[in-house]
Amino acid sequence: MSKVTNIIFNGKKHYLTSGYGKRSVISTSAGATSSFHSGADYGTNGKKLAQYAIEKGSIISCGKASDGALYVWVKYPRINKKLLHYHLDSVKVKVGQAVQKGTLLGYTGKTGKATGVHLH
């Protein structure tokens, strides 16, 4: 996989299950997904793997979304990017917390509109 996802998963096995863009609607226990996927999904073979910060940044939002998914938004000023970790099983950070490369953010899960354990 990419250098970024290898940091996020700390080298643990993961694979792309759904890329960005149009896709078929998927029925889940929390409702149907959209026909446009606004991110990329990475499967973990059903394992709840730890998710880590990729470099120095801060937690700008985290909690439970309206669809029931647990999530973390991380802002990385040096690269001028924000990354969303969605469908988490648990969240291990709080809003305003500073993070470094390797800070534990949470664990992959299947909360919200998900059919299996993965990272969105």
Side-chain angles (χ1 to χ4, degrees), residues 18-60:
S18 182
Y20 178 87
K22 290 184 180 184
R23 70 173 183 186
S24 297
V25 172
I26 301 168
S27 293
T28 75
S29 60
T33 66
S34 169
S35 61
F36 187 86
H37 192 222
S38 61
D41 289 343
Y42 295 92
T44 58
N45 292 307
K47 297 177 183 174
K48 295 177 181 178
L49 298 180
Q51 303 292 288
Y52 298 97
I54 64 169
E55 66 172 55
K56 183 178 180 180
S58 61
I59 305 304
I60 56 174

Side-chain angles (χ1 to χ4, degrees), residues 58-95:
S58 61
I59 305 304
I60 56 174
S61 181
C62 61
K64 187 180 230 180
S66 61
D67 68 357
L70 297 179
Y71 71 93
V72 173
W73 269 109
V74 187
K75 181 178 181 181
Y76 296 106
R78 185 188 69 80
I79 59 174
N80 195 29
K81 298 287 181 197
K82 296 179 216 170
L83 293 181
L84 172 64
H85 296 252
Y86 206 75
H87 301 299
L88 297 176
D89 181 68
S90 61
V91 172
K92 301 298 182 184
V93 291
K94 57 186 174 187
V95 174

